[in-house]
Amino acid sequence: MSEQPPLVLVSNRGPVTYQEDGSVKRGTGGLVTALTGLASHRDAIWIASAMTEQDVEVAREHDGKPFEVEAPEGGSFRVKFIESDAEAYDRFYNIIANPMLWFIQHYLWDLSNAPDIRRHEVEAFDQGYQVVNQDLAQAVIDEIDGQEEPVVMVHDYHFYTLPGMVREARPDVFLHHFVHIPWTQPDAWRVLPNAIREQIYTGLLANDIIGFHTKSYQRNFLQCCRDLMDFEVNFEDGVVVHDGRETWVRSYPLPIDYEATRNVARRPRVREYEERVLKRRREYAILRVDRADLSKNVLRGFTAFDIFLEQHPEFAERITFTAQLMPSRTDVPEYAEYLEKIEALVAVVNHRHGTPDWMPIDLKLRDDLDEAVASYKHYDVMMVNAMFDGMNLVAKEGPLVNERHGVSILSENTGAHEELGEFAISVNPFDVQELADAIHSALVMSPEARERRARGLKEIVTSRDPGDWIDEQIADIRAKAAGSRAAS
């Protein structure tokens, strides 16, 4: 790859955002974490939406060209911020990407009540989603101008139509698209009007390779191409034929950068938080670290804990459930309402079971990596009970740095479960009694069983890093490019 031009990465969020006070903040979310690993392992130019007014100013200062930026967590990146019309971006992000696509891809729509597809949603797709996709597509086309055989790696659900736009301008480009969230079964996609569905699928199939976290999502995508679009599909080889071209559909489970995570665990600020954690610690500690997203299933997690306390009063005043939740997409009404429900349920559980000296649930609504890692080190039980989740990196970070042979309770509907399920307590995320029983099983598990499971989780988590993840994809890119050249 070193003889080739740099990779071009495309995602909605970049590695950093510029703040009002001039400071630089690390971009949030699992995708940024993954791509930070990618960009630090390869020569890459990262094209992303300008997320703040300061991002826009910085982009203008550099005439819309790539520039070098130092990330606060370490590492330097070449970034190109793209400014879109504010109204178009709002439609793109707050109507189509979230909630429409996010809800489809996490089975979140309550179909007897929502969504109602009106002109409002169709216009949001045409005058929002498509506009922002075109803005970033044009940035890609400008960036690869004059390059021979450029390689572009597009990321996630924000840019399903971008590949078709780039392909039209540059038929020779190699396009690779990684989808970081689940791919649902065909019926979930019937929510979308045919015209929008067709634009999404044909846009995606302009890629040479489409990647998912798991074999399950890979299968679902192939099934959608056959059942919804009537495209030619080879399930055995993972190939879709459309418009005279082959698209490879693959699974590449995303690893964490385990060395970087261990380095975070050694920071002085993490040690300071550890002291506070240990000072307040009771006999047992349960932990969850999540965005306050509907898909994370936070309410059922607290309901299960409520049931557990009711059925096992012997644990009263001996246990604390710490939930560090990052408020998410609070400008989307469904998310703001969900956060209110979380706070209300915590108040109910704490009132029902708490005493003047003991609050069963400690709810922290903030995003602080150092504080989260300090808690990772000292949990007895970690709960990851998402309804559906693309991967869930918390399920990998926690066991890596935990020092107490903590037990993982892991939803069978997370991408991480495909790799880690053997050494976790698997749960159906909708069965709150099973989850309550899992909490009890984890707390009374023998030290030998805890150690065996913890060791198994650590071994899996440290078996691959983001460099391997990229190498697997680059190997497929090379193989497919070589095959295409041979065929022509």
Side-chain angles (χ1 to χ4, degrees):
M1 229 46 200
S2 56
E3 300 151 25
Q4 299 288 335
L7 288 175
V8 176
L9 307 182
V10 187
S11 69
N12 184 44
R13 290 182 189 277
V16 298
T17 53
Y18 287 83
Q19 306 302 296
E20 277 183 42
D21 61 5
S23 65
V24 177
K25 187 183 174 194
R26 176 184 178 274
T28 56
L31 184 148
V32 169
T33 305
L35 291 198
T36 300
L38 190 161
S40 62
H41 283 81
R42 298 278 166 186
D43 184 19
I45 290 169
W46 192 332
I47 296 174
S49 296
M51 306 299 290
T52 64
E53 286 177 25
Q54 288 68 37
D55 288 353
V56 171
E57 282 175 26
V58 173
R60 288 175 183 170
E61 283 168 21
H62 292 90
D63 296 324
K65 293 185 170 61
F67 59 93
E68 200 87 11
V69 62
E70 295 287 331
E73 307 288 328
S76 73
F77 306 94
R78 276 192 292 160
V79 179
K80 185 175 182 177
F81 283 139
I82 306 305
E83 177 185 357
S84 292
D85 172 78
E87 191 179 343
Y89 188 87
D90 181 62
R91 287 168 154 174
F92 153 83
Y93 191 78
N94 290 320
I95 299 175
I96 301 301
N98 306 285
M100 184 62 71
L101 291 174
W102 182 270
F103 276 35
I104 286 172
Q105 292 190 243
H106 291 83
Y107 299 102
L108 287 172
W109 286 118
D110 173 8
L111 293 180
S112 60
N113 295 304
D116 295 334
I117 309 287
R118 303 170 189 265
R119 186 181 293 167
H120 174 69
E121 282 74 23
V122 174
E123 286 177 354
F125 185 82
D126 293 337
Q127 297 163 28
Y129 192 83
Q130 293 287 61
V131 169
V132 176
N133 272 254
Q134 185 62 61
D135 288 345
L136 275 85
Q138 190 57 53
V140 170
I141 293 161
D142 293 345
E143 196 53 48
I144 62 176
D145 187 40
Q147 292 181 12
E148 283 184 35
E149 300 180 359
V151 177
V152 178
M153 299 181 85
V154 186
H155 286 265
D156 230 1
Y157 62 103
H158 308 89
F159 298 119
Y160 288 154
T161 58
L162 177 149
M165 298 166 180
V166 176
R167 174 73 64 204
E168 197 174 337
R170 285 292 300 268
D172 63 322
V173 67
F174 196 100
L175 287 163
H176 180 292
H177 200 131
F178 193 90
V179 180
H180 290 256
I181 64 175
W183 198 272
T184 41
Q185 292 166 355
D187 283 349
W189 290 90
R190 295 187 192 278
V191 163
L192 290 175
N194 284 343
I196 292 178
R197 200 191 310 155
E198 189 167 329
Q199 288 175 85
I200 285 173
Y201 278 85
T202 55
L204 268 169
L205 288 167
N207 287 292
D208 292 279
I209 299 177
I210 302 171
F212 297 96
H213 284 303
T214 72
K215 292 182 175 68
S216 170
Y217 308 151
Q218 175 196 15
R219 271 195 310 274
N220 286 349
F221 180 79
L222 292 169
Q223 210 175 325
C224 286
C225 289
R226 184 193 64 188
D227 296 357
L228 296 176
M229 308 305 297
D230 203 24
F231 294 151
E232 185 186 330
V233 175
N234 182 326
F235 282 87
E236 204 172 311
D237 296 339
V239 173
V240 181
V241 179
H242 167 65
D243 207 18
R245 63 179 301 107
E246 279 191 359
T247 299
W248 289 8
V249 183
R250 298 288 183 265
S251 66
Y252 310 99
L254 176 64
I256 60 169
D257 189 335
Y258 57 86
E259 287 298 351
T261 306
R262 282 172 168 161
N263 288 338
V264 171
R266 297 184 193 109
R267 285 181 189 162
R269 191 164 175 266
V270 171
R271 297 271 163 80
E272 287 170 27
Y273 274 119
E274 270 189 88
E275 285 172 22
R276 292 183 218 173
V277 166
L278 293 171
K279 198 178 287 183
R280 299 184 61 184
R281 185 187 160 85
R282 301 232 163 197
E283 197 177 335
Y284 300 101
I286 303 179
L287 176 68
R288 77 173 305 143
V289 176
D290 275 312
R291 282 187 307 109
D293 187 285
L294 285 80
S295 66
K296 301 299 184 183
N297 210 20
V298 176
L299 292 174
R300 286 191 183 92
F302 289 147
T303 299
F305 185 58
D306 181 26
I307 294 167
F308 161 78
L309 290 173
E310 205 164 287
Q311 294 175 350
H312 299 281
E314 69 274 16
F315 282 91
E317 301 200 44
R318 297 167 62 199
I319 190 165
T320 304
F321 186 165
T322 301
Q324 187 171 321
L325 304 178
M326 182 177 93
S328 177
R329 302 173 183 144
T330 46
D331 42 359
V332 177
E334 289 90 344
Y335 285 82
E337 188 184 324
Y338 191 63
L339 195 56
E340 286 172 15
K341 285 181 178 174
I342 287 170
E343 292 181 283
L345 181 55
V346 169
V348 167
V349 175
N350 282 342
H351 179 72
R352 183 178 293 150
H353 299 285
T355 67
D357 311 330
W358 172 58
M359 198 167 59
I361 300 174
D362 181 12
L363 179 63
K364 300 173 179 178
L365 295 176
R366 52 183 174 265
D367 176 24
D368 189 318
L369 180 64
D370 291 345
E371 186 177 14
V373 171
S375 297
Y376 282 163
K377 292 169 89 169
H378 297 287
Y379 67 76
D380 295 293
V381 180
M382 187 169 72
M383 183 186 291
V384 177
N385 69 313
M387 290 192 279
F388 292 92
D389 208 339
M391 175 50 72
N392 196 295
L393 298 179
V394 168
K396 297 185 172 185
E397 292 167 349
L400 175 70
V401 299
N402 182 264
E403 296 173 356
R404 294 173 180 266
H405 298 145
V407 180
S408 290
I409 295 176
L410 186 57
S411 161
E412 62 191 6
N413 295 341
T414 60
H417 190 272
E418 206 167 272
E419 295 173 88
L420 306 179
E422 181 188 350
F423 296 103
I425 297 180
S426 299
V427 290
N428 170 344
F430 304 100
D431 187 339
V432 289
Q433 181 60 61
E434 183 185 41
L435 186 49
D437 293 342
I439 292 170
H440 184 254
S441 298
L443 292 171
V444 300
M445 189 179 288
S446 73
E448 296 76 25
R450 283 178 61 146
E451 185 179 355
R452 182 186 63 80
R453 286 174 180 263
R455 192 170 58 246
L457 291 171
K458 272 196 176 79
E459 281 172 10
I460 293 168
V461 170
T462 56
S463 63
R464 292 164 67 245
D465 67 18
D468 298 315
W469 183 66
I470 300 313
D471 288 342
E472 290 155 14
Q473 293 172 72
I474 296 293
D476 276 352
I477 288 172
R478 284 178 170 152
K480 189 170 192 301
S484 300
R485 279 196 294 271
S488 60

